[in-house]
Amino acid sequence: MANISTSEMRSGSKVMVDGDPCAIIDNEHVKPGKGQAFNRIKLRNLKTGRVWERTFKSGDSLETADVMDTDMEYLYTDGEFWHFMAVDGSFEQHAADETAVGDSMKWLKEQEKYVVTLYNGAPLAVSAPNFIELEVKETDPGVKGDTANGGSKPATLVTGAVVKVPLFINIGEVLRVDTRTGEYVSRATGK
């Protein structure tokens, strides 16, 4: 594997630390008044999700991780694993466990594309698209006169996620939701 210097590390770079693949969240170069300069790097372990900071001397290098982000389509779940298929024409399928799917579980919709992080051919993490369109499965009925700025109510979507929506939203409507924050954005267009 290739090595990457602390000065070349950017947010999103994947490196090996203590035998585990990690993603760099932040790299801060610190030049104290006395002594050698160093880099304070914030890392996320891709296997466990743990986030921590570590310092490295300027000029140190780390091995790059053999990690690939691949676009895949969500197929189904068998209760234990969530199955994804590559959309690059190979139709290769991968089964992700609960730790790999993580918080994206509440945004999984069949035949939707997700970014699956593969490490040695096994799924490490599943990232939902920033915005997804899901149907409302359950919510209090909308009442005539409810307006967009009149307040909000909880709505359960078909995937099981609960989001706060305006009072005028009814069961069966398709909504556009921001998966990063879990917030309602708008009604889906063209449905």
Side-chain angles (χ1 to χ4, degrees):
M1 271 293 128
N3 285 344
I4 185 171
S5 167
T6 53
S7 62
E8 298 169 323
M9 292 179 194
R10 304 282 177 259
S11 181
S13 297
K14 312 281 193 295
V15 295
M16 295 295 288
V17 178
D18 299 333
D20 283 341
C22 297
I24 294 175
I25 298 170
D26 188 38
N27 182 2
E28 179 186 1
H29 181 76
V30 180
K31 195 170 182 182
K34 221 174 179 188
Q36 185 179 4
F38 61 91
N39 288 63
R40 184 177 299 125
I41 299 175
K42 189 182 248 186
L43 301 155
R44 171 178 285 118
N45 186 315
L46 293 174
K47 285 185 176 178
T48 64
R50 184 177 147 240
V51 175
W52 80 100
E53 281 188 2
R54 198 149 181 200
T55 57
F56 296 94
K57 286 188 243 171
S58 285
D60 280 358
S61 63
L62 292 172
E63 183 182 345
T64 56
D66 185 20
V67 174
M68 284 181 17
D69 288 337
T70 310
D71 287 335
M72 295 192 154
E73 183 178 306
Y74 173 61
L75 298 174
Y76 65 94
T77 180
D78 58 15
E80 185 179 355
F81 293 100
W82 288 259
H83 297 268
F84 294 86
M85 179 181 68
V87 293
D88 60 4
S90 68
F91 303 108
E92 189 177 347
Q93 292 188 18
H94 294 279
D97 61 7
E98 190 172 351
T99 56
V101 174
D103 291 338
S104 295
M105 189 180 307
K106 59 186 173 186
W107 308 117
L108 290 180
K109 175 182 169 185
E110 290 179 4
Q111 299 177 342
E112 190 73 33
K113 288 184 184 151
Y114 297 85
V115 176
V116 178
T117 303
L118 298 174
Y119 174 63
N120 292 338
L124 263 183
V126 175
S127 304
N130 291 343
F131 299 98
I132 193 163
E133 295 180 357
L134 297 168
E135 186 179 334
V136 176
K137 183 172 82 174
E138 188 180 310
T139 189
D140 295 333
V143 179
K144 187 175 180 172
D146 286 342
T147 59
N149 57 3
S152 63
K153 62 183 179 181
T156 305
L157 305 175
V158 290
T159 59
V162 177
V163 296
K164 289 203 172 291
V165 297
L167 297 171
F168 59 82
I169 298 295
N170 291 309
I171 295 172
E173 290 191 58
V174 179
L175 308 179
R176 188 170 169 85
V177 179
D178 187 336
T179 59
R180 297 164 294 185
T181 60
E183 294 177 357
Y184 162 87
V185 176
S186 66
R187 287 179 172 156
T189 55
K191 293 277 177 178

